[in-house]
Amino acid sequence: MDAHTAGPDDVDAITTTIALAFRDDPVWGPALVAADGGTDHLLPFWRYFVEGAVGHGTVSILGGPAGEVATVAVWVPPGVDELTAEQESGVDALMAATLTPERYAAYQQLWTLFEDAHPHEPAHMYLTLLATHPDHRGRGIGQRLLAEDLARFDAEGLPAYLESTNPANDHRYARAGFRPVGGFRSVIDGAHVTTMWRDPVAAVTVAGS
């Protein structure tokens, strides 16, 4: 499998992979439970975030069989918003119509916690989502894709930031060079979110080369 930058034609497959990967996430699973218990809202919800990042040309994917996306890294570059104003309004309307009033209020508060924890300086790449399709887990392809992206950012001298919503993944991010810098607990179920930062790694110059 070769990594490449995703385009508009990849949005559907990326969205499917993310929805499957995050349905049991300790934070996003409980936060997105619909009032009627349905799941029809999950694809349109995640699609907003995929489309927002694809527009910046900063979504990396490894493809799978029959057009499937095996793993995806969704990045937001420095100086841009994760969603356009129109996309933000759309996702808010979707969730207001999907969640109970109490859950919607908690959902909004959760976003405030994410925003308050996010550093503004120095300029950095923001990993909003890293997801592997359930059929392709256990092969290390998410780590491979992450390493390739980080090597590119290192060459540009860019640090990286993420929020880990699953403690089981923290050690994987640590292996990639991220370190914990803070955290908070979800207002939905008290699940812990770890904020993590990675400084760029300077290229090693071999003597005599």
Side-chain angles (χ1 to χ4, degrees), residues 3-196:
H4 63 277
T5 300
D9 290 344
D10 300 305
V11 167
D12 287 344
I14 292 170
T15 302
T16 296
T17 292
I18 290 173
L20 290 171
F22 278 86
R23 62 185 174 185
D24 297 320
D25 181 79
V27 172
W28 290 112
L32 301 180
V33 173
D36 63 1
T39 60
D40 290 348
H41 63 293
L42 294 178
L43 285 175
F45 173 82
W46 292 116
R47 186 182 181 94
Y48 280 110
F49 298 93
V50 173
E51 288 179 332
V54 164
H56 300 305
T58 50
V59 178
S60 300
I61 60 174
L62 285 171
E68 187 178 83
V69 167
T71 193
V72 54
V74 179
W75 297 91
V76 174
V80 302
D81 293 324
E82 187 172 4
L83 298 174
T84 65
E86 183 178 0
Q87 289 166 340
E88 188 171 345
S89 295
V91 75
D92 283 347
L94 171 67
M95 299 315 292
T98 300
L99 306 179
T100 64
E102 295 79 8
R103 283 292 180 124
Y104 180 63
Y107 162 85
Q108 290 182 304
Q109 188 178 351
L110 179 62
W111 275 117
T112 298
L113 292 172
F114 275 98
E115 292 166 0
D116 289 347
H118 195 143
H120 297 288
E121 298 292 341
H124 57 275
M125 295 297 297
Y126 174 30
L127 181 61
T128 65
L129 296 162
L130 179 65
T132 297
H133 193 288
D135 292 345
H136 297 278
R137 286 177 181 160
R139 300 164 55 190
I141 58 175
Q143 287 286 123
R144 171 189 154 190
L145 183 63
L146 179 60
E148 291 183 13
D149 285 344
L150 291 172
R152 192 167 64 253
F153 304 149
D154 285 343
E156 299 172 10
L158 282 171
Y161 170 79
L162 62 84
E163 304 106 354
S164 175
T165 56
N166 188 341
N169 293 328
D170 290 3
H171 73 284
R172 298 183 176 93
Y173 293 127
R175 282 206 307 266
F178 285 89
R179 57 183 172 84
V181 291
F184 56 90
R185 291 198 174 273
S186 170
V187 296
I188 307 291
D189 61 349
H192 192 264
V193 178
T194 302
T195 58
M196 307 185 80

